Amino acid sequence: MKRRAFLAGMSSLALATFARRLVADPAPPPPKRLVLVMHSNGTQQSNFWPRAEMTSPILDPLLSDARVRARTTIVKGVYVPWDSGGTDGNEHDMGFARMFTGYRLRNVSGHPWGGGPSVDQIVAKEWRERTLNLACLTSRTEPHPKPGFLHRRSFSYVAAGVLRVPIEDPFVAYQRLFAPPEERDGVTRQRLLLRKSALDPMKSELARLRDAVSREERDKLDRHLESVREIERDLLRSISGEALGCGTRPPPPPEYTTRAPRLLVDDESAIPAIVQSMVDLIAAALTCGAPRIATLQLGYGGAKWSYDWEGIGYDCHGYLAHLDSTDGASSPDVIAKLVRVHRWNASMIARLAKKLADTPEGDRSVLDRTLIVWASDMGRGDHSLENVPVVLVGGAGMPSGGKLVDVGRQPFQRVGCTALRAMGLDVGGFGDLPDCGPLQGL
Amino acid sequence: VRLVAAIACLAGCTGDMARPEGASAIGQPTATRRVRRLSAREYANTMRDLTGTSVDVGVFTEDTVVTGYDNGTESLGVGIEQAAAYTRLAEDAAAKVVADAPHFLGCDLGREGAEACRERALGTFLRRAYRRPARDDEKARLRGAFADARNITGDDTLALRTMVEAILQSPAFLYRTELGGAYDGNRVVLDDWERASALAYFLTGTMPDDALLDAAARGDLATVDGMRREARRLLATPAARIQVRHFLEQWLALDRLAFVTKDAKAFPELDDTLRAAMREDAERFLDEALRERGGSLAQVFGSTAAFVDEKLARVYGVPYAGTGAQRVELDPSLRRGILTRAAYLAVHSGPEETGPVGRGLFLRSAILCAPTPPPPIGIDRNVPKAPTRTTRERFASHSSNAMCQGCHRAIDGVGFSFEAFDALGRHRTVENGVAIDSSGFLLDAGPSDGPFNGVVELESRLLGSPRVASCFVRQAFRFAMGSSEAPEDVTTLDVLSKGFDANSSIVDLFVEIAASRAFVERWTR
């Protein structure tokens, strides 16, 4: 980012000289990528964990592809300690807002929020990059979060109690990532320059104000200042005409916000198409390295999708997941339907992994330089917090896969630590954990 | 630090420490020095009043409601999307302002020239935008933006527009400060301009009007009497009537009506027209309740007025003739007070059924300030549907199960009394062929505790409860401060609650909050 802003400010002659010098330098190692994925309501335990021959009714979409299987590690034994943090949150929140932040829930007017930045934002800060945060939230049963449940819109946090609000419309994300500047902003170069002039005075004023307030307030103003700088970097990039992406654009998704907004609110019929678009956008973005960090969220925390496309047709949270109260002895009908639900979720991760495996980078594939961390908020749909399904896909910072690893009983923070370590961050602690060691036994 | 400050204040409260002029008699400070970003609604109102533009606040996706009110300062920050939205909205508004420079800037660009207009904009317009006179360094930076833009374009209009864009994205515009000036080591008192903003956004939800800014300039707001006088003046404006109503709507969560969806098979009647009619009914109900002497809880929980169109008349089961919304009086034995209005009942019920637990939880939390802890782990919270039993019968296991009894006696005691109203707000006497039982039991309402029957009786009991009155004071205080009360606020709240009862004026309460020390003093930290 810093370099881009610098380049934009240089004359074309200087730029050419600089570019030549760049070419002469030895190529830096290809960058790593990180994707965090979360779905709700745990899994159906007896059909999730692979058998000796690495097959699993739920995970087969991932495991049936030899390249992906070789890069997949399934982690058994992760648990989330029961702790409402004095809030009105239930087990969904305990996993959802904590899995990737690592902190105790933060009590905000009695409601449970994440207690610190999530892994994606921590890595983004370190790499000085922006993240691509996507979530498909449309829901017939719960078009809007219940009062006091706004925190369930995102598992990604910028800071304690501050959500990184995900993009819900794939077309909006597409525009932001891949449209050329003039198309993206719909404005002229002159307007971009004026926009920058209008931003100039506020930076020093924000900085002046931040020195006058308390620490917490300072964080707020710092975030504003950082946002303005981010916008400025974008502007400079647009002004210099630097293209986003790397030339290969995925096909644009439909424009839901303007043409069919209900599909983003309370009509579930397009969920498979929306999630597929999101997966494709993430794959394309990671390939280009713009950005290299993404999150994908399937529904609100405690999602209540009906999975019509899997032939179910009613709230699979209250009327299905909740009824799964043992690891394999629930009613056969409940088990069969839950397998369909979670197998479909797995098929979306498989789609992402395969796309990345199909994309060569040097003598390897993008998947080899990526880590996908896929987890849920709990272990089993009846709110059990043991044996949370955790799947690691990709070769970035990971030992070889193709296996199920039973790690014993380890706290969920080790998942975040594993991701941070794999991305090359040498962090002392993560969330409430003072020693950020990765999952032991991987 | 907080402890030291608290000890210091104890001294202050006993009168040992000189108070600066302007610190009022009630309470003590609890909030710290802070900046408050304008809420989405405050921003939209301010843009309307300053630039005549209407803003779709749907773009403010990051705002969250944590205190129960949309002006809660804790959750109002500026992320990338928000900052980008400010840029776009500032551009639209600046174009409009400069296009009508004579009106907005008091300057004719063609006749007087760009420099003159720039300086005019840095006068009155900037004082209105920043809600205080701008400092010289601020003006210098704005002139810099003007010069930059003219260098780029050679165009005076665009230069002026760019400067107005800069003003509308400045932190001085987007935030209001509560920084004050120190008067002892631990406390500050808001300056005149900050007081003007605090009053205006609390009482009118928008920027100070010119009269208020003039009052601040004269130093009128430095005294408690001055604060009271301006508060009374503002509260008589149309903007204040909307603002007080907006507070009541948020208090009772009526503002959630727009998001209410019901099962289409069970409630095919609920469409956007009916939703709009319910909303209009609630708004006009509250407007009327607030009209006399600034409104009272007795009006809010006691009025029988309703404003119905044809569809809503059917919900209320009253005859309808004519066109548009008509004012009718409802049967006082069935419906009086806001809790029996369709908007309230539709918001506080499930998508398919009445949801007695939700109704009970909300009422206890919002009206009694007695929130309930969450249920213990491992409890099966599914209450299976049953075609031959009433909702009440199905939920009755709460009172037989020892683990649930403790809380549900209080929750359901209130929730069940609403059973005579379905999820759309229609009155009913039977459910699944079984007669409705709407008897209830009130707890935590002091002298009003005990058995009762139906919502109408519930409301008269609420009106007799000092707890309800003091809870209302607390809610208004949260709204005023943009944050939840702290333990130290008990003094302020006690004083404000003293003498406030069902018949007291709501507007008077707002005046007294504005005159309290908590409203104008801040801890330094």
Side-chain angles (χ1 to χ4, degrees), chain B residues 331-359:
Chain B
D331 177 353
S333 69
L334 286 184
R335 290 186 200 259
R336 44 183 328 150
I338 190 72
L339 304 187
T340 61
R341 288 306 177 274
Y344 183 89
L345 293 163
V347 164
H348 299 291
S349 54
E352 291 172 84
E353 53 183 21
T354 52
V357 176
R359 285 172 167 181

Side-chain angles (χ1 to χ4, degrees), chain A residues 82 84 87-91 106 108-109 111 113 130 140-141 143-144 146-147 150 153 161-165 167 176 187 190-191 193-195 197-202 204-206 208-209 212-217 220-221 223-224 226-228 230-231 262 266 318-319 322-323 383 385, chain B residues 32-37 61-68 73-74 76-81 83-84 86-88 91 130 135 137-138 141-142 145 148-149 152-153 158 161-162 165-166 169-172 174-175 177 179 256 258-259 261 351-352 374-378 381-382 385 484 525:
Chain A
W82 196 95
S84 67
T87 70
D88 63 359
N90 68 19
E91 295 76 16
R106 179 165 197 223
V108 179
S109 297
H111 304 309
W113 292 68
R130 209 156 150 172
R140 190 158 74 226
T141 310
H144 301 277
K146 291 185 280 184
L150 283 164
R153 288 180 300 166
V162 183
L163 292 185
R164 166 81 183 160
V165 179
I167 302 174
R176 223 164 275 173
V187 295
Q190 185 183 67
R191 178 97 303 267
L193 287 166
L194 292 179
R195 208 171 261 184
S197 302
L199 285 179
D200 281 341
M202 73 180 298
S204 41
E205 281 171 33
L206 269 173
R208 184 180 186 278
L209 200 52
V213 293
S214 66
R215 232 191 68 97
E216 299 110 70
E217 296 286 285
K220 217 192 278 183
L221 294 168
R223 189 162 157 258
H224 188 169
E226 190 45 49
S227 302
V228 172
E230 185 88 52
I231 287 173
R262 293 210 81 112
D266 60 359
Y319 300 104
H322 278 183
L323 307 181
H383 291 207
L385 296 172
Chain B
T32 54
R33 300 171 86 224
R34 56 188 181 174
V35 291
R36 298 175 66 174
R37 204 210 77 201
T61 53
E62 287 190 29
D63 287 6
T64 51
V65 174
V66 295
T67 55
T73 177
E74 188 183 3
L76 300 179
V78 180
I80 295 165
E81 309 304 333
Y86 283 141
T87 297
R88 287 194 305 274
E91 287 176 358
Y130 286 7
R135 295 186 315 270
D137 62 307
E138 288 171 321
R141 277 193 286 274
L142 291 169
D148 273 359
I152 293 166
T153 64
L158 283 176
R161 257 171 68 176
T162 302
E165 285 166 26
Q169 293 179 82
S170 158
L174 299 174
Y175 296 87
T177 64
L179 302 175
R256 285 181 37 224
F259 304 122
T261 53
E352 291 172 84
I377 176 98
R381 274 175 265 168
N382 271 326
K385 294 213 171 93
S484 292
R525 250 207 308 194

Side-chain angles (χ1 to χ4, degrees), chain B residues 172-474:
Chain B
F173 174 71
L174 299 174
Y175 296 87
R176 53 197 171 101
T177 64
E178 297 183 347
L179 302 175
Y183 74 83
D184 65 40
N186 301 307
R187 282 171 293 173
V188 295
V189 50
L190 303 192
D191 71 26
D192 293 319
W193 304 102
E194 290 173 333
R195 286 168 183 239
S197 281
L199 276 179
Y201 284 100
F202 170 35
L203 301 174
T204 62
T206 187
M207 58 187 264
D209 59 15
D210 288 338
L212 185 55
L213 290 176
D214 291 343
R218 285 193 304 267
D220 289 358
L221 303 180
T223 65
V224 177
D225 284 348
M227 287 291 277
R228 282 213 178 89
R229 196 165 50 240
E230 279 302 311
R232 288 216 173 277
R233 182 183 68 77
L234 290 174
L235 281 163
T237 61
R241 275 201 294 280
I242 296 171
Q243 175 78 347
V244 178
R245 186 182 76 202
H246 178 67
F247 158 68
L248 295 173
E249 284 169 345
Q250 291 196 83
W251 169 45
L252 298 170
L254 300 174
D255 56 332
R256 285 181 37 224
L257 185 62
F259 304 122
V260 165
T261 53
K262 302 283 174 191
D263 181 73
K265 272 182 238 134
F267 302 101
E269 302 87 346
L270 185 66
D271 56 12
D272 288 345
T273 339
L274 182 56
R275 220 179 265 116
M278 288 177 171
R279 188 196 151 117
E280 182 176 355
D281 176 39
E283 283 182 356
R284 292 180 63 178
F285 174 95
L286 293 173
D287 282 346
E288 193 176 282
L290 289 169
R291 198 165 299 150
E292 211 178 308
R293 294 187 309 108
S296 66
L297 291 176
Q299 283 289 317
V300 172
F301 290 127
S303 166
T304 54
F307 302 83
V308 299
D309 68 356
E310 198 173 355
K311 284 189 104 171
L312 189 56
R314 264 192 302 245
V315 170
Y316 283 143
V318 294
Y320 175 85
T323 53
Q326 306 276 329
R327 188 185 186 286
V328 294
E329 296 281 348
L330 301 177
D331 177 353
S333 69
L334 286 184
R335 290 186 200 259
R336 44 183 328 150
I338 190 72
L339 304 187
T340 61
R341 288 306 177 274
Y344 183 89
L345 293 163
V347 164
H348 299 291
S349 54
E352 291 172 84
E353 53 183 21
T354 52
V357 176
R359 285 172 167 181
L361 283 172
F362 179 83
L363 189 142
R364 286 183 51 81
S365 162
I367 298 176
L368 289 169
C369 292
T372 317
I377 176 98
I379 294 280
D380 180 3
R381 274 175 265 168
N382 271 326
V383 181
K385 294 213 171 93
T388 59
R389 301 161 73 202
T390 63
T391 307
R392 180 171 190 143
E393 286 168 334
R394 284 166 47 218
F395 282 87
S397 63
H398 284 154
S399 40
S400 55
N401 181 327
M403 210 158 165
C404 309
Q405 255 174 14
C407 294
H408 277 280
R409 187 158 165 261
I411 301 167
D412 301 346
V414 170
F416 283 153
S417 71
F418 283 85
E419 277 300 292
F421 298 100
D422 73 9
L424 212 53
R426 287 177 299 212
H427 188 257
R428 61 182 188 172
T429 52
V430 290
E431 182 190 7
N432 293 330
V434 185
I436 289 288
D437 172 4
S438 54
S439 61
F441 197 94
L442 192 57
L443 281 166
D444 299 311
S448 295
D449 280 3
F452 66 92
N453 197 8
V455 185
V456 169
E457 194 185 336
L458 171 65
E459 284 179 303
S460 49
R461 276 174 181 265
L462 294 176
L463 287 175
S465 165
R467 170 99 182 216
V468 170
S470 66
C471 177
F472 183 78
V473 170
R474 208 189 296 194

Side-chain angles (χ1 to χ4, degrees), chain A residues 304-316:
Chain A
K304 297 181 172 64
W305 283 350
S306 295
Y307 288 83
D308 298 334
W309 58 94
E310 288 295 319
I312 299 173
Y314 55 84
D315 169 18
C316 291

